[in-house]
Amino acid sequence: MKLLEERIKQDGIVLPGNVLKVDSFLNHQIDPELSQAMGEEFARLFKDAKIDRVLTVEASGIAIGVMTALELHVPLVFARKKKSALINEPVYTHRVFSYTKKEYSDILVLQKFLPAGERVLLIDDFLANGEAALGLAKLVEDAGSEVAGIGIAIEKAFQPGHQRLLDKGYRLEALASVASLANGQIRFTNDADKD
Ligand code: 5GP
């Protein structure tokens, strides 16, 4: 998605540990118009996938998830990373290792918000090792539903997550695919075509 790639080139900052910081439009401050455009693009890519529900994980997946769900006319559910006193009903839960925080958290969704027999679209902001996406997929499958696709705003294609998701047979669509962050330079997988 050209608009997203241009924004990443303009505002993205490469941090040590192969982390791309895009807090000016995706991870802290949110650009609503860009989020809407991303939601429209996900909805276009998955329009024939018979999606019943969109599932993401708090916090950064919510904006793009809601824009996708709005366009597909289905509900959005987000997995929580912390159990609160309000969560006193049965949950689906799975332990996930956070790429950026370097710690485990138990993501959870109330069972009533993941009914069985649905086709669920997973949406997230980044794909690195695939832990978050595989954790969300586990919740969906525990619920007796099917992962109809995985939509990622920015995948780091040089890290293992991309192949792990494909190996599991999931349909993966990334709006921007980063080939390398070496030497502080952001290169996209399709940059070679432009050279
Ligand atoms: P994974 O679970 O695939 O290893 O990593 C994906 C999750 O880690 C995303 O939900 C995102 O929150 C975070 N993440 C991974 N890599 C990056 C990155 O380069 N930049 C940012 N901002 N978040 C990342």
Side-chain angles (χ1 to χ4, degrees):
M1 184 181 172
K2 204 163 176 300
L3 194 64
L4 178 59
E5 288 183 359
E6 282 169 357
R7 189 63 177 272
I8 295 168
K9 285 261 188 209
Q10 184 188 302
D11 291 347
I13 298 162
V14 181
L15 298 181
N18 280 323
V19 172
L20 179 59
K21 188 173 173 187
V22 286
D23 60 354
S24 65
F25 65 91
L26 186 62
N27 292 133
H28 195 6
Q29 176 171 263
I30 287 175
D31 180 331
E33 282 169 6
L34 182 60
S35 302
Q36 185 177 35
M38 290 194 267
E40 285 169 357
E41 184 60 6
F42 283 132
R44 188 186 68 76
L45 291 164
F46 290 103
K47 70 175 185 309
D48 298 322
K50 298 191 172 66
I51 304 299
D52 296 305
R53 179 177 303 264
V54 176
L55 174 66
T56 186
V57 56
E58 66 177 349
S60 299
I62 296 177
I64 49 178
V66 78
M67 292 302 180
T68 307
L70 178 68
E71 200 67 24
L72 290 170
H73 305 287
V74 297
L76 166 79
V77 185
F78 63 91
R80 292 185 176 273
K81 287 179 178 160
K82 276 208 172 73
K83 201 168 161 93
S84 85
L86 296 174
I87 306 217
N88 56 359
E89 294 171 65
V91 295
Y92 297 112
T93 183
H94 189 68
R95 184 153 289 185
V96 165
F97 187 72
S98 164
Y99 185 89
T100 42
K101 297 198 185 101
K102 304 288 178 219
E103 63 186 26
Y104 285 95
S105 65
D106 293 318
I107 59 165
L108 57 102
V109 175
L110 285 184
Q111 292 189 0
K112 67 181 179 188
F113 296 133
L114 272 187
E118 288 194 339
R119 291 176 56 77
V120 180
L121 173 61
L122 309 183
I123 294 287
D124 203 8
D125 58 343
F126 273 90
L127 176 62
N129 291 327
E131 289 290 307
L134 289 168
L136 290 174
K138 177 82 170 62
L139 302 186
V140 170
E141 286 158 6
D142 284 352
S145 284
E146 193 181 334
V147 176
I150 302 176
I152 299 289
I154 306 171
E155 70 164 5
K156 292 180 289 178
F158 58 93
Q159 294 181 327
H162 177 100
Q163 198 53 47
R164 283 178 84 192
L165 299 187
L166 296 186
D167 288 347
K168 292 250 175 192
Y170 297 125
R171 175 177 168 199
L172 171 64
E173 300 282 358
L175 302 186
S177 183
V178 175
S180 162
L181 295 174
N183 307 317
Q185 295 288 322
I186 304 165
R187 288 190 64 83
F188 295 104
T189 50
N190 57 4
D191 275 353
D193 313 340
K194 296 173 200 154
D195 290 342

